Amino acid sequence: MNRLFVCLFAVLFLARVSAAEEACASCIDGCACEEICSCNHEPRAPIGVMGDHVHHKGAWMVSYRYMFMNMDGTDSDVSGYMMRPKSMDMQMHMFGAMYTPINNLTIGLMLPYKVNNMDMEMGAMNMPMEMESEGFGDLKLSGTYRVWSSSVHQLLANLALSLPTGSMDEENGVARLPYSMQLGSGSYGLIPGITYTGLANGWGWGVQANGTFYLNENDHDYTLGNRYGLQAWGLRDLCSSSAVSLRLSGNRVENIDGADPQLNPMMTPLADPNLRAGTRLDLLAGIDYRIGPARLALEGGAPIAQELDGPQLETKWMVIGGLQVSF
Ligand SMILES: [Cu+2]
């Protein structure tokens, strides 16, 4: 008798599971069943990852991210230069909006507001000097298209266009600030990418590769170097409303092509377009919390390896906080 009950229960349970799986499979397209199935369309990647999800048709999402990065000390000797970088703090307030006009395609807009502070030393007397720049950076228009998906996996194609809305005329009253203190690229850029994500049994994971290619020389006779990114992450649900994550993020930046004639590379390595390249691998831990349509998330980490074609400032640590609201 007991056995019969166990068997009956197992059959019912399996029937429920397969029904939920079927619901999930159909949910990918129309998303009539978000509540029933676990294949929800909530963001599943750590907050520092962009373009990791597509919403259901007609949905909006607005987001705000705050990013802080600290750089301190140089990777090689700077004593031969007149102006020597000591440390730098980079802050970014990133405002975003996403809309899904048709199934499987989410379009978005992202505008950063940047605040850069750098401490320098000048001359033989090590005179301290500060540089500051602040303002809007380059506006990005993005599209994320779901190429393929099942109840567990999805494959997304990403493409963004970067517009030269940020200033590259930042100065301190005496001279133009070096490349890394400027707010925009001055060029149009294309950012293609590919993203894979998985979600099952309270685990989430994903991989993303992308590149940033600046298409034209800006008004100051230079083009920022290409950027390449490759990252992988894993998430674990703590409960239905909270998850923790680990992310490995690799980034490569190439040197600047051309040179701003107002910047003198003999004065400081920051003004040398051929000392800008570098490769970095960051490890970040994150936590997020979801309440209804909102998601609050925090991620922080540090490089575990970096190789700079410097003298350049070394990245020490970074944090990213964000709030996303879907409706
Ligand atoms: Cu979204």
Side-chain angles (χ1 to χ4, degrees):
M1 194 64 184
N2 268 348
R3 230 185 216 176
L4 190 68
F5 269 118
V6 169
C7 215
L8 199 65
F9 185 76
V11 167
L12 281 173
F13 179 75
L14 284 175
R16 249 194 93 91
V17 167
S18 67
E21 263 174 14
E22 260 171 46
C24 286
S26 60
C27 158
I28 301 296
D29 294 323
C31 205
C33 56
E34 247 178 315
E35 293 86 14
I36 319 169
C37 62
S38 59
C39 64
N40 56 34
H41 296 258
E42 287 170 19
R44 298 299 300 175
I47 191 72
V49 180
M50 319 277 171
D52 64 298
H53 65 275
V54 169
H55 293 270
H56 58 88
K57 190 180 164 185
W60 284 89
M61 186 172 91
V62 290
S63 64
Y64 166 75
R65 285 181 178 86
Y66 172 77
M67 304 181 200
F68 182 96
M69 182 186 276
N70 172 259
M71 289 179 267
D72 197 15
T74 46
D75 62 317
S76 52
D77 185 29
V78 287
S79 57
Y81 291 95
M82 177 76 180
M83 288 168 66
R84 300 173 293 277
K86 294 271 291 176
S87 66
M88 181 176 183
D89 289 335
M90 294 175 78
Q91 297 178 76
M92 187 146 76
H93 304 272
M94 180 86 93
F95 304 94
M98 294 167 91
Y99 177 65
T100 304
I102 53 169
N103 282 334
N104 297 318
L105 176 70
T106 289
I107 54 174
L109 199 142
M110 274 198 309
L111 185 65
Y113 186 88
K114 298 177 173 185
V115 183
N116 297 321
N117 289 283
M118 194 187 289
D119 285 333
M120 320 245 319
E121 263 176 10
M122 267 179 70
M125 305 293 287
N126 293 337
M127 282 224 319
M129 186 193 141
E130 275 177 34
M131 293 194 294
E132 285 173 18
S133 60
E134 178 173 345
F136 286 104
D138 289 347
L139 176 71
K140 285 191 186 75
L141 307 174
S142 67
T144 303
Y145 181 71
R146 186 158 47 209
V147 179
W148 173 83
S149 63
S150 71
S151 57
V152 176
H153 314 281
Q154 64 172 350
L155 188 66
L156 308 169
N158 310 96
L159 184 64
L161 175 67
S162 176
L163 304 175
T165 53
S167 156
M168 34 155 208
D169 300 311
E170 296 302 301
E171 45 157 88
N172 61 2
V174 183
R176 184 166 295 157
L177 297 180
Y179 300 107
S180 53
M181 293 293 291
Q182 296 299 332
L183 305 169
S185 63
S187 305
Y188 289 88
L190 272 185
I191 310 165
I194 188 152
T195 308
Y196 159 79
T197 70
L199 176 65
N201 305 322
W203 291 92
W205 60 91
V207 186
Q208 183 179 69
N210 58 24
T212 304
F213 305 95
Y214 290 104
L215 304 175
N216 61 297
E217 193 175 86
N218 63 27
D219 291 347
H220 295 164
D221 303 336
Y222 67 91
T223 313
L224 287 187
N226 295 341
R227 293 168 170 268
Y228 307 95
L230 180 63
Q231 52 184 337
W233 62 88
L235 288 116
R236 173 70 195 166
D237 277 341
L238 295 178
C239 56
S240 62
S241 61
S242 187
V244 285
S245 65
L246 267 184
R247 175 162 70 106
L248 261 179
S249 172
N251 284 285
R252 165 82 191 158
V253 185
E254 301 289 352
N255 276 323
I256 292 170
D257 192 30
D260 185 333
Q262 291 199 22
L263 294 174
N264 180 0
M266 305 296 280
M267 289 279 285
T268 173
L270 297 165
D272 193 329
N274 296 314
L275 297 179
R276 299 285 85 210
T279 308
R280 214 175 73 220
L281 184 65
D282 301 331
L283 180 64
L284 301 112
I287 184 159
D288 72 55
Y289 186 68
R290 295 184 290 275
I291 337 165
R295 179 204 191 203
L296 197 62
L298 190 70
E299 205 183 11
I304 50 176
Q306 60 186 319
E307 173 90 39
L308 304 168
D309 302 358
Q312 269 185 58
L313 287 169
E314 285 186 329
T315 299
K316 293 298 180 199
W317 57 275
M318 66 215 71
V319 287
I320 305 161
L323 175 67
Q324 298 170 315
V325 183
S326 325
F327 51 92

